[in-house]
Amino acid sequence: MGRFKALSRGTKLVLVAGPVLFFSLFFNWQTLKIDYGPAGIAEQPQDGWDAWGLLIAMLAISTITLVVLVRMTEVEMSEDVPWEKVTLALGVATFALAVLKSLTDANSTWASYAFVAAAGVLAVGTYLNWADTRTSQTPLLGRKRRRGFSSAA
């Protein structure tokens, strides 16, 4: 637990929101209404596992894995690859696909919008990690020096 507390806020958000988003795909994302004519109308719940859901799951798993490798392990990663930008792109893509899935599904449930919020938290976590790395790599700009006027006598 102490190791989890020592992590940055962005990493914590990714490690919590990522699995929540993945397991949310097993829940009801939409409810289809099927009209059987004189027999009545039936409602059929649909989970999140369709083509979009599979892509969201793969992106969420890859984002979590990459954050764990970069932030929590001593694995030597290539210095030439901007890993924080890659995780940011994965997080934003996951959020965009979750929004797209929820908007294009017919009769989306309230839970699907809550799961989109989890994807948003994942994207915010990757952004915080990216911003943290960016501020630690870029030195602060020095204050502008005022040019003193020397008195010429």
Side-chain angles (χ1 to χ4, degrees):
M1 192 65 177
R3 188 171 180 184
F4 186 77
K5 287 182 180 180
L7 296 174
S8 69
R9 180 172 292 166
T11 303
K12 289 177 188 176
L13 289 175
V14 170
L15 293 179
V16 170
V20 167
L21 178 62
F22 177 78
F23 288 115
S24 75
L25 294 169
F26 291 100
F27 291 102
N28 187 15
W29 276 66
Q30 70 185 91
T31 303
L32 297 178
K33 294 183 180 185
I34 303 169
D35 187 7
Y36 288 108
I41 297 175
E43 292 185 356
Q44 181 179 8
Q46 298 288 318
D47 59 12
W49 289 105
D50 57 0
W52 292 111
L54 182 62
L55 190 55
I56 290 168
M58 290 180 359
L59 285 172
I61 290 171
S62 59
T63 304
I64 296 165
T65 304
L66 196 55
V67 166
V68 167
L69 285 175
V70 170
R71 293 282 183 150
M72 296 180 64
T73 63
E74 299 296 325
V75 175
E76 290 186 25
M77 304 288 282
S78 174
E79 296 291 327
D80 298 333
V81 178
W83 293 110
E84 299 302 331
K85 284 184 183 179
V86 172
T87 56
L88 176 62
L90 288 171
V92 170
T94 305
F95 176 64
L97 285 177
V99 168
L100 183 66
K101 175 179 174 33
S102 189
L103 291 177
T104 58
D105 281 348
N107 301 320
S108 294
T109 63
W110 63 270
S112 69
Y113 297 111
F115 300 144
V116 169
V121 171
L122 177 83
V124 167
T126 58
Y127 171 76
L128 290 175
N129 282 342
W130 173 77
D132 183 40
T133 302
R134 186 174 164 106
T135 56
S136 67
Q137 288 178 353
T138 306
L140 297 175
L141 295 175
R143 294 184 179 170
K144 289 184 179 180
R145 295 183 187 172
R146 291 187 179 187
R147 294 186 180 153
F149 292 104
S150 59
S151 58

